[in-house]
């Protein structure tokens, strides 16, 4: 899983490529590299570490070494081979005639490598990508074909996932792009600079240059080259060379949405975005007089949706945890038996009966391979597939039969925040939507909708107290273990809270259903093992209070997260975080926020790289 960027046009390519890599760094940041093509010569620069390292290295070069209006670049999340300069992309072929960047995995690379080694090819890296570069070179040499045909033929031999950009010395005004399983977008230059193209793993590096884009589909190869002094784009099928007609999308994302907006980190900005992002998620969808919801994206499938007898909810990481909350909502409001599955497991196990079963796939990025594979499996099983996705035009959004978008704008920090609260909100809204087709009363629908509409203001109220949570972070930053406990809707909240602590603060936090505590985990409790207990004044309040007593009786520290009117807990626990009152089904949306803030502030206190925690990537496009 990596980010790729390409530019071909009249401008100097390298500043555009470096900026593009910075925007794509969320996809991986083990190493970065750039290849420029000028007057038939390649200059390739690569560096282990973040894009900033590469940028510093490049800025020290003289302008001759950096000239070129054609270039490709890459930011890596290691799959084959350790993060190192050697394994960084771009990769040159043996003769140095072809250069390539790749996002994905070539599964049969070892058998191809063996054949190439027998032919005398040498390899400098451990990557599958260098194998592909040499396979293309070998085909070009033996078949005496153009670079696009050589790439196409090579791709008919590989098994796996890829988005690749390829340049060849022999055809210096040509760029080849191909896709199977990994995303790639082509931006078409506008105005005077129409004769230029921008390519990237997603639209964030492109949007400041043009809003006209083409999403390459699986199995397609695109050729950008010069015809009558003008660059043109042609798309063909990898399988049979058939010409495809590109559909040009007009993007609406604004560039300011991509910036930090004055906050020290994207994560904090995105936490504070939540009143607005929740408004955007519900905008235009609440039909109060009917006590229902309108989802334009689902209308075409209303008949199939009415016939659904069961639901499987899938996703990974945060998306699966929000799914756990959705499970309770679907069973309570829609009366549909529901289960939650890891995308990774659903793909590889036997599914007993799929008749009238719908799959709801949740994904911020819309690119998570485990989730995408689950959708493909569900489609084979003839299940109706529905998506809850943030990134418009992403692979999952295009793969599902129908879907709804979060509309929270780009989420850049690796830790999911505004997408997660929006996911919970959309799942509750979906539960109302399904429920109104299955006997949920209009009055009950209206009662929940009224509370949903209040959420942005309640979130603003929580955010006003961020300083109190910053203080708690200073107090608790020294602990290396935490329990996060909840029940019913907030069992999922506890899991999500613990994931935030792990990924941002590097603290071992265990999200646990508090009823389970007494069945084993409680033996871990001592004065160095604090618990965050999600104990709002809801149907589980008394049970949760018992869990607190059990922990206190064993000398454990407790931070209680409770409803603002609750006065009794402050005398029992060590610290209290208050959230405003709302319906039980909506509490997770409010309870997520103090957890996000606590994980954020502890991460800052510990000096971690908040937006790009170690070993992680924003979008996990490998299995
Ligand atoms: O883009 P997705 O929602 O499909 O991503 C799924 C997980 O990789 C993601 O939620 C991950 O767990 C986040 N880093 C959590 O903050």
């Amino acid at each position: 899983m990596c980010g790729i960027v390409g530019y071909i046009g009249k401008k100097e390519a390298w500043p555009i490529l470096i900026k593009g890599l910075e925007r794509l760094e969320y996809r991986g940041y083990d190493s970065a590299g750039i290849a420029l093509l000028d007057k038939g010569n390649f200059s390739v620069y690569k560096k282990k570490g973040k894009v900033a390292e590469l940028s510093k290295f490049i800025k020290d070069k003289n302008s001759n070494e950096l000239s070129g209006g054609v270039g490709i670049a890459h930011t890596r999340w290691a799959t084959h081979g350790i993060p190192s300069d050697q394994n960084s992309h771009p990769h040159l072929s043996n003769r140095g005639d072809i250069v390539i960047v790749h996002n994905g995995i070539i599964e049969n690379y070892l058998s191809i490598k063996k054949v190439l080694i027998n032919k005398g090819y040498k390899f400098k890296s451990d990557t599958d990508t260098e194998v592909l570069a040499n396979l293309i070179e070998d085909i070009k040499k033996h078949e005496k074909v153009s670079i696009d045909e050589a790439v196409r033929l090579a791709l008919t031999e590989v098994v796996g996932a890829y988005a690749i950009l390829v340049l060849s010395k022999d055809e210096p005004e040509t760029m080849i792009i191909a896709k199977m399983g990994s995303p790639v977008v082509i931006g078409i230059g506008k105005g005077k600079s129409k004769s230029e193209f921008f390519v990237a793993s997603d639209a964030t590096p492109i949007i400041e240059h043009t809003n006209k884009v083409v999403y390459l589909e699986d199995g397609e190869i695109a050729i950008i080259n010069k015809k009558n002094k003008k660059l043109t784009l042609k798309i063909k099928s990898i399988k049979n060379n058939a010409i495809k007609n590109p559909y040009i999308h007009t993007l609406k994302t604004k560039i300011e949405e991509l910036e930090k907006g004055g906050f020290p980190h994207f994560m904090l900005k995105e936490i504070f975005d939540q009143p607005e992002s929740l408004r955007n998620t519900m905008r235009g969808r609440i039909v109060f007089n009917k006590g229902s919801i309108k989802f334009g994206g689902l209308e075409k499938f209303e008949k199939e949706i009415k016939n659904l007898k069961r639901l499987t909810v899938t996703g990974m990481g945060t998306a699966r945890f929000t799914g756990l909350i959705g499970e309770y909502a679907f069973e309570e409001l829609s009366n549909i038996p529901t289960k939650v599955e890891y995308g990774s497991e659903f793909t590889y196990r036997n599914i007993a009966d799929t008749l009238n079963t719908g799959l709801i796939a949740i994904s911020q990025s819309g690119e998570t391979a485990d989730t995408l594979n689950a959708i493909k499996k569900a489609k084979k099983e003839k299940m109706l597939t529905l998506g809850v996705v943030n990134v418009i035009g992403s692979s999952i959004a295009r793969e599902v039969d129908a879907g709804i978008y979060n509309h929270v704008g780009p989420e850049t920090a690796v830790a999911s925040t505004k997408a997660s609260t929006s996911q919970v909100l959309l799942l509750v809204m979906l539960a109302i939507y399904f429920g109104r087709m299955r006997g949920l009363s209009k009055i009950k629908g209206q009662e929940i909708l009224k509370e949903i509409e209040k959420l942005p203001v309640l979130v603003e109220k929580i955010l006003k107290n961020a300083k109190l949570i910053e203080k708690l972070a200073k107090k608790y930053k020294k602990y290396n273990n935490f329990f996060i406990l909840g029940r019913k809707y907030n069992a999922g909240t506890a899991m999500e809270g613990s994931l935030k602590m792990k990924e941002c603060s590097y603290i071992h936090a265990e999200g646990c259903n508090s009823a389970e505590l007494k069945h084993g985990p409680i033996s871990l409790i001592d004065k160095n093992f604090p618990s965050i207990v999600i104990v709002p004044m809801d149907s589980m309040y008394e049970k949760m209070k018992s869990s607190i007593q059990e922990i206190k009786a064993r000398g454990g520290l407790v931070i209680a997260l409770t409803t603002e009117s609750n006065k009794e807990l402050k005398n029992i626990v060590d610290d209290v975080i208050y959230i405003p009152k709302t319906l039980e089904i909506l509490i997770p949306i409010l309870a997520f926020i103090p957890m996000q803030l606590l994980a954020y502030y502890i991460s800052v206190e510990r000096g971690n790289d908040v937006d790009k925690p170690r070993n992680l990537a924003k979008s996990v496009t490998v299995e």
Side-chain angles (χ1 to χ4, degrees):
M1 172 182 44
C2 310
I4 58 174
V5 198
Y7 174 76
I8 179 163
K10 293 199 181 85
K11 298 180 187 136
E12 286 295 354
W14 76 267
I16 296 169
L17 296 175
I18 292 286
K19 192 139 186 228
L21 287 184
E22 282 163 3
R23 294 229 191 276
L24 290 183
E25 231 181 345
Y26 72 88
R27 302 179 66 87
Y29 36 84
D30 289 334
S31 65
I34 184 168
L36 302 168
L37 178 54
D38 188 38
K39 302 184 192 89
N41 288 314
F42 286 132
S43 314
V44 179
Y45 307 107
K46 9 199 227 183
K47 271 265 152 261
K48 182 175 169 218
K50 296 187 175 150
V51 176
E53 305 285 323
L54 175 74
S55 174
K56 209 166 121 239
F57 179 66
I58 280 194
K59 281 175 187 157
D60 288 342
K61 305 266 152 213
N62 69 44
S63 54
N64 282 348
E65 293 173 282
L66 291 176
S67 68
V70 185
I72 57 179
H74 188 271
T75 178
R76 178 166 188 251
W77 189 74
T79 56
H80 292 73
I82 55 158
S84 66
D85 290 357
Q86 210 73 305
N87 285 331
S88 308
H89 300 218
H91 287 285
L92 281 163
S93 62
N94 267 202
R95 294 205 303 193
D97 289 352
I98 288 164
V99 73
I100 179 171
V101 290
H102 167 215
N103 168 32
I105 292 177
I106 307 298
E107 288 170 15
N108 59 340
Y109 81 107
L110 278 176
S111 57
I112 301 173
K113 191 171 181 177
K114 226 161 128 191
V115 175
L116 291 169
I117 288 173
N118 285 338
K119 287 186 175 184
Y121 280 87
K122 302 257 180 303
F123 290 88
K124 294 188 184 124
S125 75
D126 306 315
T127 65
D128 48 345
T129 308
E130 195 187 5
V131 175
L132 186 54
N134 284 316
L135 179 64
I136 297 168
E137 179 182 285
D138 195 58
I139 291 174
K140 192 168 183 312
K141 199 166 78 186
H142 288 101
E143 304 290 327
K144 308 224 175 327
V145 288
S146 59
I147 183 66
D148 59 294
E149 185 58 2
V151 173
R152 191 187 73 77
L153 290 172
L155 293 177
T156 58
E157 289 185 30
V158 307
V159 178
Y162 52 80
I164 53 166
L165 307 183
V166 185
L167 301 175
S168 164
K169 267 186 180 176
D170 298 344
E171 295 170 57
E173 286 174 321
T174 301
M175 181 180 292
I176 312 297
I177 306 128
K179 166 176 167 29
M180 179 63 76
S182 305
V184 61
V185 192
I186 302 169
I188 304 167
K190 56 179 182 183
K192 277 190 198 143
S193 28
K194 229 178 198 144
S195 199
E196 64 179 349
F197 287 86
F198 307 83
V199 189
S201 297
D202 70 27
T204 50
I206 296 177
I207 194 76
E208 64 194 88
H209 306 289
T210 176
N211 61 353
K212 300 282 178 233
V213 299
V214 174
Y215 290 96
L216 214 60
E217 297 292 336
D218 279 352
E220 288 183 345
I221 179 165
I223 303 119
I224 302 170
N225 58 13
K226 252 198 182 149
K227 291 261 152 63
N228 304 326
K229 295 193 180 157
K230 232 186 119 196
L231 287 170
T232 57
L233 168 71
K234 186 154 76 185
I235 299 180
K236 300 196 295 184
S237 150
I238 294 173
K239 203 164 143 201
N240 57 17
N241 250 330
I243 302 288
K244 304 272 188 118
N245 278 334
Y247 176 74
I248 302 173
H249 295 256
T250 303
L251 296 175
K252 299 209 173 69
T253 312
K254 290 192 223 94
I255 193 69
E256 319 71 87
E257 289 181 70
L258 302 172
E259 308 293 355
K260 276 189 212 152
F263 287 89
H265 298 99
F266 279 109
M267 183 175 173
L268 193 61
K269 172 190 179 284
E270 287 159 7
I271 292 173
F272 275 80
D273 274 351
Q274 287 175 108
E276 194 53 29
S277 59
L278 289 168
R279 272 186 199 106
N280 290 338
T281 300
M282 62 183 90
R283 178 161 294 132
R285 288 168 158 167
I286 293 178
V287 190
F288 192 77
N289 61 350
K290 292 190 179 154
S292 190
I293 302 286
K294 180 180 160 58
F295 284 128
L298 303 187
E299 272 164 12
K300 249 173 64 190
F301 285 85
E302 223 160 79
K303 204 172 123 222
E304 289 84 345
I305 289 171
K306 272 190 185 137
N307 288 337
L308 288 176
K309 296 271 179 293
R310 274 176 314 212
L311 290 173
T312 295
V313 180
T314 195
M316 300 300 287
T318 289
R320 194 178 68 87
F321 295 142
T322 61
L324 290 172
I325 299 165
E327 179 185 2
Y328 280 87
F330 292 132
E331 298 245 358
E332 182 172 333
L333 300 182
S334 328
N335 197 25
I336 311 182
T338 306
K339 66 175 172 176
V340 181
E341 293 232 28
Y342 291 97
S344 55
E345 297 312 296
F346 182 84
T347 308
Y348 293 108
R349 70 175 189 81
N350 185 51
I351 311 295
D353 179 7
T354 55
L355 189 70
N356 294 329
T357 308
L359 182 90
I360 299 182
I362 307 169
S363 176
Q364 186 287 129
S365 63
E367 301 297 345
T368 299
D370 291 320
T371 310
L372 189 56
N373 289 340
I375 297 164
K376 289 180 181 162
K377 160 97 174 254
K379 283 172 93 176
K380 276 196 196 132
E381 298 279 339
K382 307 261 177 300
M383 292 167 75
L384 178 71
T385 56
L386 305 176
V388 175
V389 174
N390 188 36
V391 177
I392 295 172
S394 57
S395 303
I396 291 179
R398 285 177 290 132
E399 188 68 35
V400 287
D401 296 314
I404 48 183
Y405 282 118
N406 294 93
H407 294 310
V408 301
E411 191 183 67
T412 303
V414 165
S416 185
T417 53
K418 62 177 176 175
S420 68
T421 44
S422 165
Q423 284 164 0
V424 179
L425 175 58
L426 274 185
L427 292 170
V428 174
M429 289 166 73
L430 255 182
I432 298 172
Y433 171 81
F434 292 149
R436 291 289 289 127
M437 297 173 175
R438 289 169 172 77
L440 179 78
S441 74
K442 182 169 116 179
I443 291 179
K444 180 76 185 163
Q446 286 176 328
E447 185 192 314
I448 305 168
L449 293 177
K450 217 163 106 195
E451 294 305 310
I452 283 180
E453 284 180 321
K454 290 181 192 159
L455 285 171
V457 173
L458 303 186
V459 171
E460 272 159 14
K461 218 168 156 188
I462 298 172
L463 291 170
K464 279 195 186 122
N465 287 327
K467 284 268 166 255
L468 296 177
I469 296 174
E470 192 175 1
K471 252 168 100 181
L472 282 185
K474 288 185 202 299
K475 176 171 170 189
Y476 286 94
K477 68 178 177 198
K478 61 177 188 276
Y479 295 98
N480 286 321
N481 294 289
F482 274 85
F483 270 126
I484 306 192
L485 305 167
R487 282 193 70 170
K488 216 174 159 183
Y489 286 100
N490 287 311
T493 309
M495 312 285 166
E496 168 56 9
S498 74
L499 178 60
K500 289 287 95 78
M501 287 287 238
K502 283 178 213 163
E503 65 180 338
C504 304
S505 322
Y506 310 157
I507 284 174
H508 167 243
E510 196 174 324
C512 188
N513 185 309
S514 60
E516 182 72 4
L517 200 62
K518 58 188 176 296
H519 297 281
I522 200 163
S523 65
L524 291 167
I525 292 284
D526 65 16
K527 63 179 185 352
N528 296 315
F529 204 125
S531 301
I532 300 173
V533 185
I534 306 160
V535 51
M537 298 185 79
D538 63 6
S539 64
M540 287 290 116
Y541 181 67
E542 290 303 327
K543 308 274 175 217
M544 291 302 304
K545 243 170 53 183
S546 306
S547 298
I548 291 177
Q549 297 295 3
E550 286 159 18
I551 298 166
K552 290 309 300 171
R554 285 154 184 90
L557 296 168
V558 171
I559 306 172
L561 199 157
T562 191
T563 316
E564 60 191 0
S565 55
N566 185 341
K567 299 288 172 256
E568 71 171 339
L569 284 181
K570 69 174 192 299
N571 302 321
I572 308 171
V573 301
D574 300 277
D575 287 286
V576 192
I577 299 172
Y578 292 104
I579 55 169
K581 188 171 171 359
T582 186
L583 294 179
E584 178 161 331
I585 198 167
L586 300 175
I587 289 172
I589 298 174
L590 301 184
F592 270 27
I593 290 161
M595 306 277 210
Q596 297 165 353
L597 286 167
L598 192 63
Y600 169 79
Y601 286 122
I602 294 183
S603 171
V604 173
E605 284 292 325
R606 290 182 158 215
N608 297 350
D609 191 344
V610 178
D611 286 333
K612 297 189 189 90
R614 66 188 180 203
N615 306 336
L616 291 176
K618 180 68 177 161
S619 159
V620 186
T621 56
V622 289
E623 283 192 73

